Amino acid sequence: MAYAALSLTMPDQENGGKWLGIGNMSMVLPQSIAPAVAPILLAIGNQSVNYVSLYLGAAIIAVIGAGVIMTIKKLQ
């Protein structure tokens, strides 16, 4: 379903493969980066607040992502 929505919002229908590739990277890249960033966030603070920094970092990234999504044109 994500690719169907992505194909409707492509800026250039002629180069559809390129835009589907970029869309695929945007879906897979966070899943690849998160395991690398999580230990850094867990290392912040002492033992009792490690997960607070992890969840706070995840919340900040989610809010930034929501703001970016709001800029995407609406499906018709």
Side-chain angles (χ1 to χ4, degrees):
M1 175 146 150
Y3 292 110
L6 181 63
S7 67
L8 292 174
T9 59
M10 282 191 270
D12 181 16
Q13 297 293 331
E14 294 293 322
N15 295 322
K18 177 180 96 171
W19 292 108
L20 285 174
I22 292 171
N24 185 42
M25 285 191 328
S26 71
M27 287 186 256
V28 174
L29 199 58
Q31 296 172 7
S32 302
I33 293 175
V37 174
I40 296 168
L41 293 174
L42 287 172
I44 296 173
N46 59 14
Q47 291 292 85
S48 64
V49 296
N50 282 351
Y51 283 100
V52 172
S53 63
L54 178 67
Y55 292 136
L56 186 60
I60 291 169
I61 291 170
V63 168
I64 291 170
V68 170
I69 289 173
M70 297 299 279
T71 64
I72 298 173
K73 71 177 185 177
K74 295 190 185 285
L75 297 177
Q76 298 169 354

CSV table of all heavy atoms in Angstrom, one decimal:
chain,number,residue,atom,x,y,z
A,1,MET,N,0.8,-1.2,0.0
A,1,MET,CA,0.0,0.0,0.0
A,1,MET,C,0.9,1.3,0.0
A,1,MET,O,0.5,2.3,-0.6
A,1,MET,CB,-0.9,0.0,1.2
A,1,MET,CG,-1.7,1.3,1.3
A,1,MET,SD,-3.3,1.0,2.0
A,1,MET,CE,-3.6,2.5,2.8
A,2,ALA,N,2.0,1.2,0.7
A,2,ALA,CA,2.9,2.4,0.7
A,2,ALA,C,3.4,2.7,-0.7
A,2,ALA,O,3.5,3.9,-1.0
A,2,ALA,CB,4.0,2.1,1.6
A,3,TYR,N,3.7,1.7,-1.5
A,3,TYR,CA,4.2,2.0,-2.8
A,3,TYR,C,3.1,2.6,-3.7
A,3,TYR,O,3.3,3.3,-4.6
A,3,TYR,CB,4.8,0.7,-3.4
A,3,TYR,CG,6.1,0.4,-2.7
A,3,TYR,CD1,6.1,-0.8,-1.9
A,3,TYR,CD2,7.2,1.2,-2.8
A,3,TYR,CE1,7.3,-1.1,-1.3
A,3,TYR,CE2,8.4,0.8,-2.2
A,3,TYR,CZ,8.4,-0.3,-1.4
A,3,TYR,OH,9.5,-0.6,-0.8
A,4,ALA,N,1.8,2.2,-3.5
A,4,ALA,CA,0.7,2.7,-4.3
A,4,ALA,C,0.6,4.2,-4.0
A,4,ALA,O,0.4,5.0,-4.9
A,4,ALA,CB,-0.6,2.0,-4.0
A,5,ALA,N,0.6,4.6,-2.7
A,5,ALA,CA,0.6,6.0,-2.3
A,5,ALA,C,1.8,6.7,-2.8
A,5,ALA,O,1.6,7.9,-3.3
A,5,ALA,CB,0.4,6.1,-0.8
A,6,LEU,N,2.9,6.1,-2.8
A,6,LEU,CA,4.1,6.7,-3.3
A,6,LEU,C,4.0,7.0,-4.8
A,6,LEU,O,4.4,8.1,-5.3
A,6,LEU,CB,5.3,5.9,-3.0
A,6,LEU,CG,6.7,6.4,-3.4
A,6,LEU,CD1,7.0,7.7,-2.7
A,6,LEU,CD2,7.8,5.4,-3.2
A,7,SER,N,3.5,6.1,-5.5
A,7,SER,CA,3.4,6.3,-7.0
A,7,SER,C,2.4,7.4,-7.4
A,7,SER,O,2.6,8.0,-8.4
A,7,SER,CB,2.9,5.0,-7.7
A,7,SER,OG,1.6,4.6,-7.3
A,8,LEU,N,1.5,7.7,-6.5
A,8,LEU,CA,0.5,8.8,-6.7
A,8,LEU,C,1.1,10.1,-6.4
A,8,LEU,O,0.7,11.2,-6.9
A,8,LEU,CB,-0.7,8.6,-5.9
A,8,LEU,CG,-1.6,7.4,-6.3
A,8,LEU,CD1,-2.8,7.3,-5.4
A,8,LEU,CD2,-2.1,7.6,-7.8
A,9,THR,N,2.2,10.2,-5.6
A,9,THR,CA,2.8,11.5,-5.2
A,9,THR,C,4.1,11.7,-5.9
A,9,THR,O,4.8,12.7,-5.5
A,9,THR,CB,3.0,11.5,-3.7
A,9,THR,OG1,3.8,10.4,-3.3
A,9,THR,CG2,1.7,11.4,-3.0
A,10,MET,N,4.5,10.9,-6.9
A,10,MET,CA,5.8,11.1,-7.5
A,10,MET,C,5.8,12.4,-8.3
A,10,MET,O,4.8,12.7,-9.0
A,10,MET,CB,6.0,10.0,-8.5
A,10,MET,CG,6.5,8.7,-7.9
A,10,MET,SD,7.1,7.6,-9.1
A,10,MET,CE,5.6,6.7,-9.5
A,11,PRO,N,6.8,13.2,-8.2
A,11,PRO,CA,6.9,14.5,-9.0
A,11,PRO,C,7.0,14.3,-10.5
A,11,PRO,O,6.6,15.1,-11.3
A,11,PRO,CB,8.1,15.2,-8.4
A,11,PRO,CG,8.9,14.2,-7.7
A,11,PRO,CD,8.0,13.0,-7.4
A,12,ASP,N,7.6,13.2,-10.9
A,12,ASP,CA,7.9,12.9,-12.3
A,12,ASP,C,7.5,11.5,-12.7
A,12,ASP,O,8.2,10.6,-12.2
A,12,ASP,CB,9.4,13.2,-12.6
A,12,ASP,CG,9.7,13.0,-14.1
A,12,ASP,OD1,8.8,13.0,-14.9
A,12,ASP,OD2,10.9,12.9,-14.4
A,13,GLN,N,6.4,11.3,-13.4
A,13,GLN,CA,6.0,10.0,-13.8
A,13,GLN,C,6.9,9.3,-14.7
A,13,GLN,O,6.9,8.1,-14.8
A,13,GLN,CB,4.5,10.1,-14.3
A,13,GLN,CG,3.5,10.6,-13.4
A,13,GLN,CD,3.2,9.7,-12.2
A,13,GLN,OE1,3.4,8.5,-12.3
A,13,GLN,NE2,2.9,10.2,-11.1
A,14,GLU,N,7.7,10.0,-15.5
A,14,GLU,CA,8.6,9.4,-16.5
A,14,GLU,C,9.7,8.6,-15.8
A,14,GLU,O,10.2,7.6,-16.3
A,14,GLU,CB,9.2,10.5,-17.3
A,14,GLU,CG,8.2,11.3,-18.2
A,14,GLU,CD,7.6,10.3,-19.3
A,14,GLU,OE1,8.3,9.5,-19.8
A,14,GLU,OE2,6.4,10.5,-19.5
A,15,ASN,N,10.2,9.1,-14.7
A,15,ASN,CA,11.3,8.4,-13.9
A,15,ASN,C,10.7,7.7,-12.7
A,15,ASN,O,11.2,7.9,-11.6
A,15,ASN,CB,12.3,9.4,-13.5
A,15,ASN,CG,13.0,10.0,-14.7
A,15,ASN,OD1,13.3,9.4,-15.7
A,15,ASN,ND2,13.3,11.3,-14.7
A,16,GLY,N,9.7,7.0,-12.9
A,16,GLY,CA,9.0,6.3,-11.7
A,16,GLY,C,9.9,5.4,-11.0
A,16,GLY,O,9.8,5.3,-9.7
A,17,GLY,N,10.8,4.6,-11.6
A,17,GLY,CA,11.7,3.7,-11.0
A,17,GLY,C,12.6,4.4,-10.0
A,17,GLY,O,12.9,3.9,-8.9
A,18,LYS,N,13.1,5.6,-10.4
A,18,LYS,CA,14.0,6.3,-9.6
A,18,LYS,C,13.3,6.8,-8.3
A,18,LYS,O,13.8,6.6,-7.2
A,18,LYS,CB,14.5,7.5,-10.3
A,18,LYS,CG,15.4,8.4,-9.5
A,18,LYS,CD,15.9,9.6,-10.2
A,18,LYS,CE,15.0,10.8,-10.0
A,18,LYS,NZ,15.5,12.0,-10.5
A,19,TRP,N,12.1,7.3,-8.5
A,19,TRP,CA,11.3,7.7,-7.3
A,19,TRP,C,10.9,6.6,-6.4
A,19,TRP,O,10.8,6.8,-5.2
A,19,TRP,CB,10.2,8.6,-7.7
A,19,TRP,CG,10.6,9.9,-8.4
A,19,TRP,CD1,10.6,10.2,-9.7
A,19,TRP,CD2,11.3,10.9,-7.7
A,19,TRP,NE1,11.2,11.4,-9.9
A,19,TRP,CE2,11.6,11.9,-8.7
A,19,TRP,CE3,11.6,11.2,-6.4
A,19,TRP,CZ2,12.2,13.1,-8.3
A,19,TRP,CZ3,12.3,12.4,-6.1
A,19,TRP,CH2,12.6,13.3,-7.0
A,20,LEU,N,10.6,5.4,-7.0
A,20,LEU,CA,10.2,4.3,-6.1
A,20,LEU,C,11.5,3.8,-5.3
A,20,LEU,O,11.4,3.4,-4.2
A,20,LEU,CB,9.7,3.2,-7.0
A,20,LEU,CG,8.2,3.4,-7.4
A,20,LEU,CD1,7.8,2.2,-8.4
A,20,LEU,CD2,7.3,3.4,-6.3
A,21,GLY,N,12.6,3.9,-6.0
A,21,GLY,CA,13.9,3.6,-5.3
A,21,GLY,C,14.2,4.5,-4.1
A,21,GLY,O,14.6,4.1,-3.0
A,22,ILE,N,13.9,5.8,-4.3
A,22,ILE,CA,14.1,6.8,-3.3
A,22,ILE,C,13.1,6.5,-2.1
A,22,ILE,O,13.4,6.6,-1.0
A,22,ILE,CB,14.0,8.2,-3.8
A,22,ILE,CG1,15.2,8.5,-4.7
A,22,ILE,CG2,13.9,9.2,-2.7
A,22,ILE,CD1,15.1,9.8,-5.5
A,23,GLY,N,11.9,6.2,-2.5
A,23,GLY,CA,10.9,5.9,-1.5
A,23,GLY,C,11.2,4.7,-0.7
A,23,GLY,O,11.0,4.6,0.5
A,24,ASN,N,11.8,3.7,-1.4
A,24,ASN,CA,12.2,2.4,-0.7
A,24,ASN,C,13.3,2.8,0.3
A,24,ASN,O,13.3,2.3,1.4
A,24,ASN,CB,12.6,1.4,-1.7
A,24,ASN,CG,12.9,0.1,-1.0
A,24,ASN,OD1,12.2,-0.3,-0.1
A,24,ASN,ND2,14.0,-0.5,-1.4
A,25,MET,N,14.2,3.6,-0.1
A,25,MET,CA,15.3,4.0,0.8
A,25,MET,C,14.8,4.7,2.0
A,25,MET,O,15.2,4.5,3.1
A,25,MET,CB,16.4,4.8,0.1
A,25,MET,CG,17.3,4.0,-0.8
A,25,MET,SD,18.7,4.8,-1.4
A,25,MET,CE,18.2,6.5,-1.6
A,26,SER,N,13.7,5.6,1.8
A,26,SER,CA,13.2,6.3,2.9
A,26,SER,C,12.4,5.4,3.9
A,26,SER,O,12.3,5.8,5.1
A,26,SER,CB,12.3,7.4,2.4
A,26,SER,OG,11.1,6.9,1.9
A,27,MET,N,12.0,4.3,3.4
A,27,MET,CA,11.3,3.3,4.4
A,27,MET,C,12.3,2.4,5.1
A,27,MET,O,12.1,2.0,6.2
A,27,MET,CB,10.3,2.5,3.6
A,27,MET,CG,9.1,3.3,3.2
A,27,MET,SD,7.8,2.3,2.5
A,27,MET,CE,8.0,2.8,0.8
A,28,VAL,N,13.4,2.1,4.4
A,28,VAL,CA,14.3,1.1,5.0
A,28,VAL,C,15.5,1.7,5.8
A,28,VAL,O,16.0,1.2,6.7
A,28,VAL,CB,14.9,0.2,3.8
A,28,VAL,CG1,16.0,-0.7,4.3
A,28,VAL,CG2,13.8,-0.6,3.1
A,29,LEU,N,15.9,2.9,5.4
A,29,LEU,CA,17.0,3.6,6.0
A,29,LEU,C,16.8,3.8,7.5
A,29,LEU,O,17.8,3.5,8.3
A,29,LEU,CB,17.3,4.9,5.3
A,29,LEU,CG,18.7,5.5,5.6
A,29,LEU,CD1,19.8,4.5,5.1
A,29,LEU,CD2,18.8,6.8,4.8
A,30,PRO,N,15.7,4.2,8.0
A,30,PRO,CA,15.5,4.4,9.5
A,30,PRO,C,15.7,3.0,10.2
A,30,PRO,O,16.2,3.0,11.4
A,30,PRO,CB,14.1,4.9,9.7
A,30,PRO,CG,13.8,5.6,8.4
A,30,PRO,CD,14.5,4.8,7.3
A,31,GLN,N,15.3,1.9,9.6
A,31,GLN,CA,15.4,0.6,10.3
A,31,GLN,C,16.8,0.2,10.3
A,31,GLN,O,17.2,-0.6,11.2
A,31,GLN,CB,14.6,-0.4,9.5
A,31,GLN,CG,13.1,-0.1,9.5
A,31,GLN,CD,12.4,-1.1,8.6
A,31,GLN,OE1,12.9,-2.0,8.0
A,31,GLN,NE2,11.1,-0.9,8.4
A,32,SER,N,17.7,0.8,9.5
A,32,SER,CA,19.1,0.4,9.5
A,32,SER,C,19.9,1.4,10.4
A,32,SER,O,20.9,0.9,11.0
A,32,SER,CB,19.7,0.6,8.1
A,32,SER,OG,19.0,-0.3,7.2
A,33,ILE,N,19.5,2.6,10.5
A,33,ILE,CA,20.2,3.6,11.4
A,33,ILE,C,19.8,3.4,12.8
A,33,ILE,O,20.7,3.6,13.7
A,33,ILE,CB,19.9,5.0,10.8
A,33,ILE,CG1,20.5,5.2,9.5
A,33,ILE,CG2,20.4,6.0,11.8
A,33,ILE,CD1,20.2,6.5,8.8
A,34,ALA,N,18.6,3.1,13.2
A,34,ALA,CA,18.2,3.1,14.6
A,34,ALA,C,19.0,2.1,15.4
A,34,ALA,O,19.4,2.5,16.5
A,34,ALA,CB,16.7,2.7,14.6
A,35,PRO,N,19.4,0.9,15.0
A,35,PRO,CA,20.2,0.1,15.9
A,35,PRO,C,21.6,0.6,16.1
A,35,PRO,O,22.3,0.3,17.1
A,35,PRO,CB,20.3,-1.3,15.1
A,35,PRO,CG,19.1,-1.3,14.3
A,35,PRO,CD,18.9,0.2,13.9
A,36,ALA,N,22.1,1.5,15.2
A,36,ALA,CA,23.4,2.1,15.4
A,36,ALA,C,23.3,3.3,16.3
A,36,ALA,O,24.3,3.6,17.0
A,36,ALA,CB,24.0,2.5,14.0
A,37,VAL,N,22.2,4.0,16.3
A,37,VAL,CA,22.1,5.2,17.1
A,37,VAL,C,21.7,4.9,18.6
A,37,VAL,O,22.0,5.6,19.5
A,37,VAL,CB,21.1,6.2,16.5
A,37,VAL,CG1,20.8,7.4,17.4
A,37,VAL,CG2,21.7,6.7,15.1
A,38,ALA,N,20.9,3.8,18.7
A,38,ALA,CA,20.4,3.4,20.1
A,38,ALA,C,21.5,3.3,21.1
A,38,ALA,O,21.3,3.8,22.2
A,38,ALA,CB,19.5,2.2,20.0
A,39,PRO,N,22.6,2.6,20.9
A,39,PRO,CA,23.6,2.5,21.9
A,39,PRO,C,24.2,3.9,22.3
A,39,PRO,O,24.5,4.1,23.5
A,39,PRO,CB,24.7,1.6,21.3
A,39,PRO,CG,24.0,0.9,20.2
A,39,PRO,CD,22.9,1.8,19.7
A,40,ILE,N,24.2,4.8,21.4
A,40,ILE,CA,24.7,6.1,21.7
A,40,ILE,C,23.8,6.8,22.7
A,40,ILE,O,24.2,7.4,23.7
A,40,ILE,CB,24.9,7.0,20.4
A,40,ILE,CG1,26.0,6.3,19.6
A,40,ILE,CG2,25.3,8.4,20.8
A,40,ILE,CD1,26.1,6.9,18.2
A,41,LEU,N,22.5,6.7,22.4
A,41,LEU,CA,21.5,7.3,23.3
A,41,LEU,C,21.4,6.6,24.6
A,41,LEU,O,21.2,7.2,25.6
A,41,LEU,CB,20.1,7.3,22.6
A,41,LEU,CG,20.0,8.2,21.4
A,41,LEU,CD1,18.6,8.0,20.7
A,41,LEU,CD2,20.2,9.7,21.8
A,42,LEU,N,21.6,5.3,24.6
A,42,LEU,CA,21.6,4.6,25.9
A,42,LEU,C,22.8,4.9,26.8
A,42,LEU,O,22.8,4.7,28.0
A,42,LEU,CB,21.5,3.1,25.6
A,42,LEU,CG,20.2,2.5,25.2
A,42,LEU,CD1,20.3,1.1,24.7
A,42,LEU,CD2,19.1,2.7,26.2
A,43,ALA,N,23.9,5.3,26.2
A,43,ALA,CA,25.1,5.7,26.9
A,43,ALA,C,25.1,7.0,27.6
A,43,ALA,O,25.9,7.3,28.4
A,43,ALA,CB,26.3,5.7,26.0
A,44,ILE,N,24.0,7.8,27.3
A,44,ILE,CA,23.9,9.1,27.9
A,44,ILE,C,23.3,8.9,29.3
A,44,ILE,O,22.3,8.2,29.5
A,44,ILE,CB,22.9,10.0,27.0
A,44,ILE,CG1,23.6,10.3,25.7
A,44,ILE,CG2,22.6,11.3,27.8
A,44,ILE,CD1,22.6,11.0,24.7
A,45,GLY,N,23.9,9.6,30.3
A,45,GLY,CA,23.3,9.6,31.6
A,45,GLY,C,23.8,8.4,32.4
A,45,GLY,O,24.6,7.6,32.0
A,46,ASN,N,23.2,8.2,33.6
A,46,ASN,CA,23.5,7.1,34.4
A,46,ASN,C,22.6,5.9,34.1
A,46,ASN,O,21.7,6.0,33.3
A,46,ASN,CB,23.5,7.5,35.9
A,46,ASN,CG,22.1,8.0,36.3
A,46,ASN,OD1,21.1,7.8,35.6
A,46,ASN,ND2,22.1,8.6,37.5
A,47,GLN,N,22.7,4.8,34.9
A,47,GLN,CA,22.0,3.6,34.6
A,47,GLN,C,20.5,3.8,34.7
A,47,GLN,O,19.7,3.1,34.0
A,47,GLN,CB,22.4,2.5,35.6
A,47,GLN,CG,23.8,2.0,35.4
A,47,GLN,CD,23.9,1.2,34.1
A,47,GLN,OE1,24.1,1.8,33.0
A,47,GLN,NE2,23.8,-0.1,34.1
A,48,SER,N,20.0,4.7,35.6
A,48,SER,CA,18.5,4.8,35.8
A,48,SER,C,17.8,5.6,34.7
A,48,SER,O,16.6,5.5,34.6
A,48,SER,CB,18.3,5.4,37.2
A,48,SER,OG,18.7,6.7,37.2
A,49,VAL,N,18.5,6.4,34.0
A,49,VAL,CA,17.9,7.2,33.0
A,49,VAL,C,18.2,6.9,31.5
A,49,VAL,O,18.0,7.7,30.6
A,49,VAL,CB,18.1,8.7,33.2
A,49,VAL,CG1,17.5,9.2,34.6
A,49,VAL,CG2,19.6,9.1,33.1
A,50,ASN,N,18.8,5.8,31.3
A,50,ASN,CA,19.3,5.4,30.0
A,50,ASN,C,18.1,5.3,29.0
A,50,ASN,O,18.1,5.8,27.9
A,50,ASN,CB,20.0,4.1,30.0
A,50,ASN,CG,21.4,4.2,30.5
A,50,ASN,OD1,21.9,5.3,30.6
A,50,ASN,ND2,22.1,3.1,30.7
A,51,TYR,N,17.0,4.7,29.4
A,51,TYR,CA,15.9,4.5,28.5
A,51,TYR,C,15.1,5.8,28.4
A,51,TYR,O,14.5,6.0,27.3
A,51,TYR,CB,15.0,3.4,29.0
A,51,TYR,CG,15.6,2.0,28.7
A,51,TYR,CD1,16.2,1.3,29.6
A,51,TYR,CD2,15.5,1.5,27.4
A,51,TYR,CE1,16.8,0.1,29.3
A,51,TYR,CE2,16.1,0.3,27.0
A,51,TYR,CZ,16.7,-0.4,28.0
A,51,TYR,OH,17.3,-1.6,27.7
A,52,VAL,N,15.2,6.7,29.3
A,52,VAL,CA,14.6,8.0,29.2
A,52,VAL,C,15.2,8.7,28.0
A,52,VAL,O,14.5,9.3,27.1
A,52,VAL,CB,14.7,8.8,30.5
A,52,VAL,CG1,14.2,10.2,30.2
A,52,VAL,CG2,13.9,8.2,31.6
A,53,SER,N,16.5,8.7,27.9
A,53,SER,CA,17.2,9.4,26.8
A,53,SER,C,16.9,8.7,25.4
A,53,SER,O,16.7,9.4,24.4
A,53,SER,CB,18.7,9.5,27.0
A,53,SER,OG,19.2,8.2,27.0
A,54,LEU,N,16.7,7.4,25.4
A,54,LEU,CA,16.4,6.7,24.2
A,54,LEU,C,15.0,7.0,23.8
A,54,LEU,O,14.8,7.4,22.6
A,54,LEU,CB,16.5,5.2,24.5
A,54,LEU,CG,16.1,4.3,23.3
A,54,LEU,CD1,17.1,4.4,22.1
A,54,LEU,CD2,16.0,2.8,23.7
A,55,TYR,N,14.0,7.0,24.7
A,55,TYR,CA,12.7,7.3,24.3
A,55,TYR,C,12.5,8.8,23.9
A,55,TYR,O,11.7,9.1,23.1
A,55,TYR,CB,11.7,6.9,25.4
A,55,TYR,CG,11.6,5.4,25.6
A,55,TYR,CD1,11.6,4.8,26.8
A,55,TYR,CD2,11.5,4.6,24.4
A,55,TYR,CE1,11.5,3.5,27.0
A,55,TYR,CE2,11.4,3.2,24.6
A,55,TYR,CZ,11.4,2.7,25.9
A,55,TYR,OH,11.3,1.3,26.0
A,56,LEU,N,13.2,9.7,24.6
A,56,LEU,CA,13.2,11.1,24.3
A,56,LEU,C,13.7,11.3,22.9
A,56,LEU,O,13.2,12.1,22.1
A,56,LEU,CB,13.9,11.9,25.4
A,56,LEU,CG,13.8,13.4,25.3
A,56,LEU,CD1,12.4,13.9,25.4
A,56,LEU,CD2,14.6,14.1,26.3
A,57,GLY,N,14.8,10.7,22.6
A,57,GLY,CA,15.4,10.8,21.3
A,57,GLY,C,14.5,10.3,20.2
A,57,GLY,O,14.3,10.9,19.1
A,58,ALA,N,13.8,9.2,20.5
A,58,ALA,CA,12.9,8.6,19.5
A,58,ALA,C,11.7,9.6,19.3
A,58,ALA,O,11.2,9.7,18.2
A,58,ALA,CB,12.4,7.2,20.0
A,59,ALA,N,11.2,10.2,20.4
A,59,ALA,CA,10.1,11.1,20.3
A,59,ALA,C,10.5,12.3,19.5
A,59,ALA,O,9.6,12.8,18.7
A,59,ALA,CB,9.6,11.5,21.7
A,60,ILE,N,11.6,12.8,19.7
A,60,ILE,CA,12.1,14.0,18.9
A,60,ILE,C,12.2,13.7,17.4
A,60,ILE,O,11.7,14.5,16.6
A,60,ILE,CB,13.4,14.5,19.5
A,60,ILE,CG1,13.2,15.1,20.9
A,60,ILE,CG2,14.1,15.6,18.5
A,60,ILE,CD1,14.5,15.4,21.6
A,61,ILE,N,12.7,12.5,17.1
A,61,ILE,CA,12.8,12.1,15.7
A,61,ILE,C,11.4,11.9,15.1
A,61,ILE,O,11.2,12.3,14.0
A,61,ILE,CB,13.7,10.9,15.6
A,61,ILE,CG1,15.2,11.3,15.9
A,61,ILE,CG2,13.6,10.3,14.2
A,61,ILE,CD1,16.1,10.1,16.1
A,62,ALA,N,10.5,11.4,15.9
A,62,ALA,CA,9.1,11.2,15.4
A,62,ALA,C,8.4,12.5,15.1
A,62,ALA,O,7.7,12.6,14.1
A,62,ALA,CB,8.3,10.3,16.4
A,63,VAL,N,8.6,13.5,16.0
A,63,VAL,CA,8.0,14.8,15.7
A,63,VAL,C,8.6,15.5,14.5
A,63,VAL,O,7.9,16.0,13.7
A,63,VAL,CB,8.2,15.7,17.0
A,63,VAL,CG1,7.8,17.1,16.7
A,63,VAL,CG2,7.4,15.1,18.1
A,64,ILE,N,9.9,15.3,14.3
A,64,ILE,CA,10.5,15.9,13.1
A,64,ILE,C,10.0,15.2,11.9
A,64,ILE,O,9.7,15.8,10.9
A,64,ILE,CB,12.1,15.8,13.2
A,64,ILE,CG1,12.6,16.7,14.3
A,64,ILE,CG2,12.7,16.1,11.9
A,64,ILE,CD1,14.1,16.5,14.6
A,65,GLY,N,9.9,13.9,12.0
A,65,GLY,CA,9.3,13.1,10.8
A,65,GLY,C,7.9,13.5,10.5
A,65,GLY,O,7.5,13.6,9.4
A,66,ALA,N,7.1,13.7,11.5
A,66,ALA,CA,5.7,14.1,11.3
A,66,ALA,C,5.7,15.5,10.6
A,66,ALA,O,4.8,15.8,9.8
A,66,ALA,CB,5.0,14.2,12.6
A,67,GLY,N,6.6,16.4,11.0
A,67,GLY,CA,6.6,17.7,10.4
A,67,GLY,C,7.0,17.6,8.9
A,67,GLY,O,6.5,18.3,8.1
A,68,VAL,N,7.9,16.7,8.6
A,68,VAL,CA,8.3,16.5,7.2
A,68,VAL,C,7.2,15.9,6.4
A,68,VAL,O,6.9,16.3,5.3
A,68,VAL,CB,9.6,15.6,7.1
A,68,VAL,CG1,9.9,15.2,5.7
A,68,VAL,CG2,10.8,16.3,7.7
A,69,ILE,N,6.4,15.0,7.0
A,69,ILE,CA,5.3,14.3,6.3
A,69,ILE,C,4.2,15.4,6.0
A,69,ILE,O,3.6,15.3,4.9
A,69,ILE,CB,4.8,13.2,7.1
A,69,ILE,CG1,5.8,12.0,7.1
A,69,ILE,CG2,3.4,12.7,6.6
A,69,ILE,CD1,5.4,10.9,8.0
A,70,MET,N,4.1,16.4,6.8
A,70,MET,CA,3.0,17.4,6.6
A,70,MET,C,3.3,18.2,5.3
A,70,MET,O,2.4,18.8,4.8
A,70,MET,CB,2.9,18.3,7.8
A,70,MET,CG,2.5,17.6,9.0
A,70,MET,SD,0.9,16.8,8.9
A,70,MET,CE,-0.1,18.2,9.2
A,71,THR,N,4.5,18.2,4.8
A,71,THR,CA,4.9,19.0,3.6
A,71,THR,C,4.6,18.2,2.3
A,71,THR,O,4.6,18.8,1.3
A,71,THR,CB,6.4,19.4,3.7
A,71,THR,OG1,7.2,18.2,3.6
A,71,THR,CG2,6.7,20.2,4.9
A,72,ILE,N,4.3,16.9,2.4
A,72,ILE,CA,4.0,16.1,1.2
A,72,ILE,C,2.6,16.5,0.7
A,72,ILE,O,1.7,16.6,1.5
A,72,ILE,CB,4.1,14.6,1.6
A,72,ILE,CG1,5.5,14.3,2.0
A,72,ILE,CG2,3.7,13.8,0.4
A,72,ILE,CD1,5.7,12.9,2.5
A,73,LYS,N,2.5,16.6,-0.6
A,73,LYS,CA,1.2,16.9,-1.2
A,73,LYS,C,0.2,15.8,-0.9
A,73,LYS,O,0.5,14.6,-0.8
A,73,LYS,CB,1.3,17.2,-2.7
A,73,LYS,CG,1.6,16.0,-3.5
A,73,LYS,CD,1.6,16.3,-5.0
A,73,LYS,CE,1.8,15.1,-5.8
A,73,LYS,NZ,1.8,15.4,-7.2
A,74,LYS,N,-1.0,16.2,-0.8
A,74,LYS,CA,-2.1,15.3,-0.5
A,74,LYS,C,-2.5,14.4,-1.7
A,74,LYS,O,-2.4,14.8,-2.8
A,74,LYS,CB,-3.3,16.0,0.0
A,74,LYS,CG,-3.1,16.8,1.3
A,74,LYS,CD,-4.4,17.3,1.8
A,74,LYS,CE,-4.2,18.1,3.0
A,74,LYS,NZ,-3.9,17.4,4.2
A,75,LEU,N,-2.9,13.1,-1.4
A,75,LEU,CA,-3.3,12.3,-2.5
A,75,LEU,C,-4.7,12.7,-3.0
A,75,LEU,O,-5.5,13.2,-2.2
A,75,LEU,CB,-3.4,10.8,-2.0
A,75,LEU,CG,-2.1,10.2,-1.5
A,75,LEU,CD1,-2.4,8.8,-1.0
A,75,LEU,CD2,-1.2,10.1,-2.7
A,76,GLN,N,-5.0,12.5,-4.2
A,76,GLN,CA,-6.2,13.0,-4.8
A,76,GLN,C,-7.2,11.9,-4.9
A,76,GLN,O,-7.0,10.8,-5.1
A,76,GLN,CB,-6.0,13.6,-6.1
A,76,GLN,CG,-5.1,14.8,-6.0
A,76,GLN,CD,-4.7,15.4,-7.3
A,76,GLN,OE1,-4.9,14.8,-8.3
A,76,GLN,NE2,-4.0,16.5,-7.2
